[in-house]
Each structure stands twice: as structure tokens, then as C-alpha cells.
Amino acid sequence: MGDRMASGRIRQVDKTPRRWRVGMDIAFVGDVAESIARFGDRYVCRIFTPHEISCCVGSRAATAEGLAARFAAKEATIKVLRPTETRPDWRSIEVWRHAGGWCDLILYGEASRLAREAELSDVSVSLSHEGNIAAAVVIAQSSQTELLDGNRG
């Protein structure tokens, strides 16, 4: 580690090479609303954690918007985790909403294992919804070095 001046203070700088992983996904609010109407709690409890469900109470439209954004976050997280075999259980990826309104991701079970294997750190999520579209972006740092030799396969 090297030293850097920051605001008159000396701090250590971590020189470990890092790679960014980014996942983005959109979900249609109407599709989520239709799944809730058709399958009810069977759908909701298979995909979402109790905390996620409790954060999305209100009118049918507000519930569908909130759950659609969380579904997009789960899909975006899968893109960051890059599973090569089976996907983690939906509920092993939890969007945790803080009292102040911002959200974090909490990974359990298989999702947590994949994150550890990829040496992921500093995982962040951003959610948005407008009209019939919900979107999420997930970004994480990996200390794994990946070859960038132009070969794909």
C-alpha cells in the first residue's frame, strides 16, 4: 500500500487491482401486478423476503411498483454474480430498505457463496420506477483478476 495525501491527512491506498461488475435490469410493473393477481401469496412469497414485502404495502399499484423494482434488483444481482450452474434462490438476494429510504443488498446462502467466490465487495444497488417500468442497477468490486486477452469462450 502507498501513502496519499487527502485533506492534509496521510492515508493508506489499497493498490490491489479491482474489476467492476455491473448488472442492470428492468421489469414491467404490469407483469408483476398480473402475477400477484393470478398467483397471490404463492408468487409473492416465492420471490420476495418478508422485509421486501413489508416495504411494498399500500395500493395495488404501489405494491406492484415496489416489488417490480426489487425483482429487477434481483435480476441485476444475478448478472453481477454470474452463476455458471443453477441460479440462487430469489429470496437469497434481499433488497433491504433503510428507514431513510435508501436500499442495500443482503446476500444469503448460494448468492452469498457466489459473491465470496468472486471476491466481491462494496456491492451497491439503485432502484427506480416510473409508470409501467421498474429498473435497478447493481455494482460491485471484485478483486479477482480476469484475463483480457481477447479470447472469448
Side-chain angles (χ1 to χ4, degrees), residues 51-129:
H51 175 79
E52 291 170 324
I53 295 166
S54 72
C55 291
C56 300
V57 295
S59 69
R60 284 183 178 173
T63 297
E65 287 173 350
L67 293 178
R70 283 154 179 79
F71 185 79
K74 291 170 186 277
E75 286 281 6
T77 302
I78 298 254
K79 292 172 182 173
V80 167
L81 294 175
R82 302 177 184 173
T84 57
E85 295 179 14
T86 59
R87 291 176 136 197
D89 179 86
W90 291 114
R91 291 164 298 171
S92 71
I93 302 166
E94 182 174 44
V95 176
W96 188 267
R97 185 177 188 273
H98 294 272
W102 70 90
C103 294
D104 283 318
L105 283 175
I106 302 175
L107 304 178
Y108 306 99
E110 181 69 7
S112 178
R113 183 188 68 77
L114 288 167
R116 279 191 312 274
E117 284 181 0
E119 300 174 24
L120 297 182
S121 63
D122 300 322
V123 179
S124 297
V125 64
S126 180
L127 309 175
S128 185
H129 49 79

